[in-house]
Amino acid sequence: MSLLDPTVWSGKACIGGWTATTGGTAPVVEPATGEALELIGVATPDDVSAAAEHAAKAQTAWARTPYTERAAVLRRAGDLFTRHAEEIQQWLIREAGSIPGKAAFETSVAAQECYEAAALVSRPLGEVLPTAEPRLSLARRTPAGVVGVIAPFNVPLVLAIRSVAPALALGNAVLLKPDLRTAVSGGVAVMRVFEEAGLPEGVLHLLPGGADTGAALVVDPHVRVISFTGSTAAGRKVGAAAAEHLKRAHLELGGNSALIVLPDADLERAASTAAWGSFFHQGQVCMTTGRHLVHRSIVDEYVERLAHKAEQLPVGNPAKEQVALGPIIDAGQRDKIHGLVRSSIEGGARLVAGGTYEDLFYRPTVLTDVTDASPAYAEEVFGPVAPVRAFTDLDEAVALATASPYGLSLGILTSDVMRGLDLAERIPTGLVHINDQTVNDEAVAPFGGFAASGTGARFGGSANIEAFTETRWITARSTQADYPF
C-alpha cells in the first residue's frame, strides 16, 4: 500500500484515528484542470474540541517518553519523507499547482525539518541560576502542552512540518489544520508519515477546515500555543483571539519584500535572480519579491532584461508539461491579482510584459512607472507580478524600501558586499540576503518578519525551543526551609 493510499483517508480527518467528521466532506481539486481528485473530511468546531481533549491526554505520556525515543520517531519521519518523496511530490504538483522542482524542494525541506527537530530533543533545555539562598535554582524548559498549527495553501508541506516537527520533538501534542485547498499535501502527507514513523496515537491530529475550524482551534482551552502562517488580515484576528485567551501566538504573515539593485550589480544575473524572486510558484510565497527598487542609471536595461525573462517563461499544467509557472490556486486569487494589475495600469503604471491569463494560468508580469499609489506596488499581490521603481541614491532606496507596513525579507544585489550589508542595517526586516533574491528558507535558520509581517523569528533552529516550550523556575533545598510563623 502506498503512503497516501486514499482508502485510508478519503472523506475523513484524523481525530485519534481516521474517522468521518461532523462537517461532511469537501473535494480535493486540481487547480490546473478543475478535476476533483479525492474527498477530504471537513472538521467542525465540535471535531476540534474532541481532538483537543484527546491530544491533551496523549501529550502527558508523550512528554514523558525518553528523548531518545522521540528523536527516533522524528528521524524515521525524515526517512519516510525521503522514501515517499515522489508520491508526495505528485500531490504537491496536482493539488497545489507546484512545478516539479518546487515540489522536490518541499519534500527535501520536510525531511530536513524532521532531522533538525530530532536534534532539538538533546539540546540543553535549562540552566542553573545564581541564588542567594541555600538551594539549587534552575530554569527549565518544559513542553507547552497542546500546540495548534494553522498552515496555508501556498507551500503546504513545508509550512506545516516546520511547526509540527519541532513541536512534537519537544514533547507537545499537535492539532494541525491545513488549508482545505491543499489538505492532502499539507495535511494527510504529514499525518501518514508520522503514523508510519511510530508516533503514538492521539499525539497528532489532522483537522482540515475553514475559518470556523481555525477559530475554534485558537480558543480551545486545551491549546496553549498557536503557530499560524497566513495573511496579515487573518493573522491579526488570530493574534487578537489568542491574546484574549492569554495564549502565545507565533504569527508568520504577509510581505511585500524589496529587491534593491545597485548600479554595480551584474544585470544579466540580476534579471535571473529577480525573475525567480517574483515568479517562483506563481508569486504565491510570502517572501516573493514584490518591489524591485533599481538604480536610475540601470533601470531601463533592467526592465528590458526582466521583461524578456518573463516573456520566455512557459506557463501551464505542471503535471502534463515542463513549465516554469503552474496555475494560481483558484479563481478568487487570480481575479485579485488581475484587479491589482489593471488598477495599477489605469493609475499610470506601464505594462511591459504579461498582464494576461487563461483559466488559472497567469502570465508573469512586469510593470514600471509605478508609484506609492499603484496597488500592485503598494500591496501584497501574491501573484507573478514584478513592479519596478527607480531610485537615485542610497537614501532614497532606504526610504522606498522602508515605506511599507511589512518587514519580512530583503534582497540586495551589488558587487560591494560590505556596502550591501551596511545598507541592510538601515532597513528593518526579519530576513536579509545579499546578492540573492528574497525567497529563501533553511531548517536551521530563524525565520520570521517584523511589523505587519508577523511577530519575529519564531521558527527554525534554536528559535523552535522558545516557540514550543515554557520556562519553569525550580528550586530545591537539602532540608525543609524554616520560617518565623
Side-chain angles (χ1 to χ4, degrees):
M1 183 175 69
S2 69
L3 180 76
L4 299 181
D5 185 345
T7 60
V8 174
W9 54 266
S10 181
K12 301 173 183 177
C14 195
I15 306 169
W18 293 99
T19 183
T21 58
T22 58
T25 62
V28 177
V29 176
E30 181 177 31
T33 64
E35 177 186 350
L37 304 175
E38 261 300 338
L39 294 174
I40 191 73
V42 179
T44 66
D46 287 342
D47 295 317
V48 171
S49 179
E53 185 175 355
H54 193 160
K57 294 176 181 177
Q59 186 271 330
T60 303
W62 174 242
R64 294 178 65 85
T65 300
Y67 77 91
T68 51
E69 293 183 27
R70 282 186 275 125
V73 170
L74 270 296
R75 287 193 297 271
R76 288 195 293 268
D79 292 343
L80 286 161
F81 275 120
T82 301
R83 191 180 314 155
H84 296 278
E86 184 175 348
E87 182 183 3
I88 297 169
Q89 287 164 21
Q90 287 304 306
W91 276 100
L92 284 161
I93 291 167
R94 298 195 68 187
E95 182 187 40
S98 306
I99 62 172
K102 186 258 191 183
F105 165 78
E106 288 210 53
T107 53
S108 174
V109 170
Q112 191 60 36
E113 290 283 359
C114 290
Y115 296 140
E116 290 298 327
L120 281 179
V121 304
S122 55
R123 292 191 186 185
L125 295 176
E127 58 183 339
V128 177
L129 304 175
T131 176
E133 298 294 325
R135 63 189 180 191
L136 179 65
S137 181
L138 307 172
R140 182 186 177 193
R141 290 282 187 174
T142 60
V146 179
V147 173
V149 177
I150 303 175
F153 71 84
N154 55 328
V155 193
L157 179 57
V158 168
L159 297 182
I161 197 62
R162 74 169 179 188
S163 293
V164 170
L168 291 175
L170 292 166
N172 300 285
V174 175
L175 306 184
L176 170 60
K177 192 205 85 65
D179 192 301
L180 271 176
R181 291 169 290 186
T182 50
V184 179
S185 52
V188 173
V190 175
M191 191 74 234
R192 289 289 298 122
V193 159
F194 279 102
E195 284 184 317
E196 293 296 308
L199 185 71
E201 184 180 286
V203 177
L204 174 63
H205 300 259
L206 177 64
L207 300 162
D212 60 337
T213 309
L217 190 154
V218 172
V219 303
D220 189 279
H222 294 294
V223 178
R224 298 310 311 155
V225 173
I226 303 297
S227 173
F228 173 86
T229 305
S231 72
T232 298
R236 291 185 194 280
K237 295 177 181 178
V238 169
E244 183 179 351
H245 290 80
L246 304 179
K247 300 181 183 185
R248 281 186 291 148
H250 305 304
L251 307 175
E252 201 276 282
L253 309 178
N256 192 8
S257 298
L259 178 68
I260 300 176
V261 186
L262 299 185
D264 58 357
D266 181 321
L267 278 185
E268 181 55 32
R269 288 186 174 182
S272 175
T273 299
W276 184 268
S278 281
F279 306 142
F280 174 71
H281 194 46
Q282 301 79 263
Q284 298 174 124
V285 182
C286 60
M287 297 173 284
T288 290
T289 302
R291 296 175 296 151
H292 297 243
L293 307 178
V294 185
H295 193 271
R296 193 169 300 280
S297 65
I298 59 171
V299 70
D300 290 341
E301 184 179 355
Y302 179 90
V303 168
E304 181 181 346
R305 289 175 180 267
L306 181 57
H308 179 71
K309 291 278 186 185
E311 290 165 350
Q312 302 304 310
L313 293 174
V315 181
N317 183 349
K320 302 292 185 182
E321 312 166 66
Q322 186 172 346
V323 297
L325 284 78
I328 301 300
I329 191 66
D330 60 26
Q333 181 61 25
R334 177 206 62 199
D335 293 345
K336 177 196 170 188
I337 295 165
H338 196 57
L340 292 171
V341 170
R342 295 313 306 173
S343 59
S344 296
I345 295 170
E346 291 165 6
R350 180 165 61 92
L351 179 66
V352 188
T356 61
Y357 65 86
E358 182 176 342
D359 296 324
L360 296 183
F361 302 103
Y362 205 94
R363 289 293 313 171
T365 298
V366 178
L367 297 170
T368 190
D369 299 334
V370 295
T371 68
D372 290 342
S374 303
Y377 171 85
E379 301 178 31
E380 181 183 34
V381 178
F382 224 66
V385 180
V388 183
R389 188 168 181 178
F391 67 86
T392 302
D393 55 33
L394 293 184
D395 288 340
E396 185 180 10
V398 170
L400 290 173
T402 55
S404 168
Y406 298 103
L408 183 52
S409 190
L410 172 68
I412 299 174
L413 306 183
T414 177
S415 61
D416 187 340
V417 174
M418 297 310 295
R419 180 166 63 164
L421 289 168
D422 182 64
L423 181 61
E425 288 295 311
R426 302 170 62 187
I427 303 167
T429 57
L431 320 171
V432 179
H433 305 291
I434 309 299
N435 285 324
D436 205 348
Q437 45 76 41
T438 55
V439 183
N440 278 280
D441 191 17
E442 292 184 22
V444 297
F447 187 97
F450 304 156
S453 290
T455 51
R458 296 293 186 266
F459 304 104
S462 58
N464 286 316
I465 296 176
E466 181 181 349
F468 301 116
T469 64
E470 302 284 4
T471 302
R472 190 180 193 190
W473 183 36
I474 303 171
T475 68
R477 293 173 177 262
S478 60
T479 58
Q480 187 171 310
D482 294 321
Y483 289 95
F485 60 86

